Amino acid sequence: MDERAFSRVAETYAGRLYAVAYRLLRNRADAEDAVQRALMKAFAARASYSPRWAVSTWLYRVLSNVCIDELRRRRPPPEPAPGHGGRAADGVERADLARALDAVPREARLLLALHYVDGLSYLELARVRGISVNTVKSQLARGKAILRRALEN
Amino acid sequence: MDLDLMLREFFTAAVPPRDALARLRRGLGARPRRLEPLADRFRIEASDRGVTRLQPGRGVGAPSHRARRHAERAREELREYLAGRRTFFAVPVDLDGLPEFQAAVLAHAARVPFGEVVSYATLAQRIGHPRAARAVGNALARNPVPVIVPCHRVVREDGSWGHYAFGHAMKTLLLTLERATPVLVGSTTTRIVCRRGCPHEQRVADSNRVVFASVPDARSVGYRPCRVCRPARVA
């Protein structure tokens, strides 16, 4: 992949990569930093990109690696950033969901984010994380069960 | 309320601010500074039991064949560390003859995990002398093997760097490097998770690497810890 092709790809995916990073890291500066680092890593490794991969799978793999390492450094999880809830009416619900997501283990949270931001299929998710499709399914189901319980309370 | 619908709405709503995308576009041209060449700008001394000194300069100081092997191994690990390919030093250090207090400070500093920082005061508490933060600072300032014993991971309580033998800029470079280097790497082909720098991890192709936040996380999706580097000890 040459430099120009890479910047086109980066432009196409920057928004979605940001959405995943923002929902995982929960603040704008960290999300931007994560996307920046992921794109730089992908750029440096663009020679090793193999076309048997979908570009999205590859970029999400690199981004997941950066975000997960960032989450490793964060214990305990930070307080939710105030004032990002959007309009007041759905703000409460969104804040609830953001809080409920904190209760979901990191691996499941990452799969949920990838699945819902860009609609990645089970197979794509399995490729991004290097896990089996069955593990993807059980992780997503477990994550959603935890969310449901947290939202009911 | 349908959870699927809620989640879809929640996740797609994270739209990046327009200036963020512009900044990302500009940042694409940036090239990270390569630290690897710095490995040759240290003089490394060793005894039969391990590395005894690391200081600015060149070459090695080793009285025997065995000592030379330690020094050469330290250089190689240093090079990998600076290239972001290693998160721990396996080469032994020989701190024999240091005063008891300084030895205790260095032993505890060596346990601060890669990529994390503690304050001088916290380190003082850990060695059982809670009021000796300043003495801890002095002991670290005379660390004979900086980088390998990571005194750069000890900072002031307010988050500022404090003194560093190789200078403020170097402390920043090392901490930034550690921030960008993952600690636990899994291989998608073997489903084994290693510490970054383990000989097995170094053989994993770039396209087969996945990063994990902890060993339990990795286990939860079907990876097992490596038996050589035993990552459960650190994360």
Side-chain angles (χ1 to χ4, degrees):
Chain A
M1 194 185 288
D2 64 20
E3 201 166 328
R4 198 178 303 161
F6 182 85
S7 3
R8 256 202 315 276
V9 167
E11 297 249 338
T12 313
Y13 283 95
R16 277 172 277 181
L17 295 174
Y18 177 90
V20 173
Y22 179 59
R23 285 309 184 199
L24 287 171
L25 304 176
R26 304 251 309 263
N27 80 65
R28 288 185 175 162
D30 285 358
E32 211 178 305
D33 185 50
V35 176
Q36 181 88 61
R37 277 196 284 152
L39 287 177
M40 270 165 80
K41 278 189 184 186
F43 184 80
R46 70 192 186 284
S48 72
Y49 166 74
S50 120
R52 75 191 160 88
W53 288 63
V55 182
S56 57
T57 310
W58 176 58
L59 287 179
Y60 283 130
R61 160 82 65 84
V62 181
L63 181 76
S64 312
N65 285 348
V66 171
C67 289
I68 285 283
D69 197 57
E70 188 62 37
L71 288 175
R72 173 183 66 81
R73 244 170 266 123
R74 289 191 189 174
R75 31 180 155 145
E79 285 298 303
H84 67 275
R87 277 161 283 124
D90 61 15
V92 178
E93 201 171 80
R94 209 175 274 178
D96 285 346
L97 196 51
R99 207 166 312 125
L101 268 169
D102 275 347
V104 177
R106 284 177 289 233
E107 288 296 319
R109 214 185 313 162
L110 172 65
L111 292 173
L112 282 170
L114 292 170
H115 186 58
Y116 284 99
V117 168
D118 204 9
L120 291 196
S121 69
Y122 294 152
L123 185 63
E124 284 171 293
L125 290 175
R127 286 207 186 117
V128 169
R129 279 315 271 163
I131 58 184
S132 73
V133 173
N134 282 330
T135 309
V136 170
K137 287 183 192 165
S138 64
Q139 286 285 322
L140 284 176
R142 197 165 141 237
K144 281 196 250 182
I146 293 171
L147 277 181
R148 261 189 213 104
R149 242 184 335 227
L151 288 172
E152 274 162 18
N153 289 338
Chain B
M1 178 63 163
D2 180 11
L3 185 63
D4 262 347
L5 213 71
M6 266 173 79
L7 282 167
R8 194 156 295 133
E9 198 267 340
F10 176 76
F11 279 112
T12 47
V15 181
R18 198 171 302 151
D19 52 334
L21 288 182
R23 271 196 298 275
L24 284 174
R25 206 169 298 140
R26 278 198 300 277
L28 269 185
R31 300 281 176 278
R33 179 173 167 196
R34 287 182 62 230
L35 301 182
E36 234 172 310
L38 291 180
D40 292 316
R41 296 192 6 213
F42 289 108
R43 175 175 170 78
I44 301 175
E45 290 172 15
S47 71
D48 279 359
R49 293 196 294 177
V51 181
T52 51
R53 185 165 287 280
L54 187 131
Q55 61 192 26
R58 277 178 199 283
V60 295
S64 67
H65 177 67
R66 207 184 150 100
R68 175 166 281 276
R69 283 228 316 259
H70 286 314
E72 278 163 5
R73 185 162 164 215
R75 172 101 55 208
E76 195 44 42
E77 291 189 0
L78 196 61
R79 202 186 310 281
E80 290 168 0
Y81 166 86
L82 290 167
R85 295 197 307 267
R86 170 174 290 280
T87 59
F88 63 96
F89 285 91
V91 65
V93 288
D94 177 9
L95 299 178
D96 215 29
L98 288 187
E100 198 181 325
F101 180 80
Q102 194 187 4
V105 171
L106 293 179
H108 276 80
R111 277 183 228 148
V112 180
F114 181 92
E116 293 179 23
V117 291
V118 300
S119 68
Y120 293 102
T122 311
L123 202 61
Q125 272 164 16
R126 285 188 193 164
I127 58 167
H129 295 277
R131 297 178 59 191
R134 198 168 285 266
V136 164
N138 288 333
L140 290 173
R142 287 194 303 271
N143 177 6
V145 281
V147 188
I148 298 181
V149 170
C151 56
H152 58 275
R153 290 178 204 151
V154 189
V155 299
R156 286 200 190 128
E157 196 104 58
D158 64 6
S160 68
W161 286 167
H163 176 77
Y164 188 52
F166 297 155
H168 197 275
M170 186 67 174
K171 196 161 180 169
T172 309
L173 279 177
L174 293 182
L175 291 172
T176 314
L177 165 76
E178 295 195 357
R179 205 171 155 243
T181 308
V183 169
L184 289 178
V185 175
S187 157
T188 59
T189 48
T190 59
R191 302 249 165 97
I192 294 175
V193 59
C194 288
R195 297 170 74 180
R196 180 113 164 133
C198 170
H200 292 290
E201 185 270 343
Q202 291 181 333
R203 280 201 294 271
V204 179
D206 261 352
S207 55
N208 294 335
R209 287 163 184 272
V210 283
V211 173
F212 289 103
S214 73
V215 172
D217 277 18
R219 277 188 200 278
S220 74
V221 290
Y223 281 67
R224 76 158 172 84
C226 169
R227 293 195 185 102
V228 174
C229 61
R230 293 194 288 164
R233 286 181 304 178
V234 290

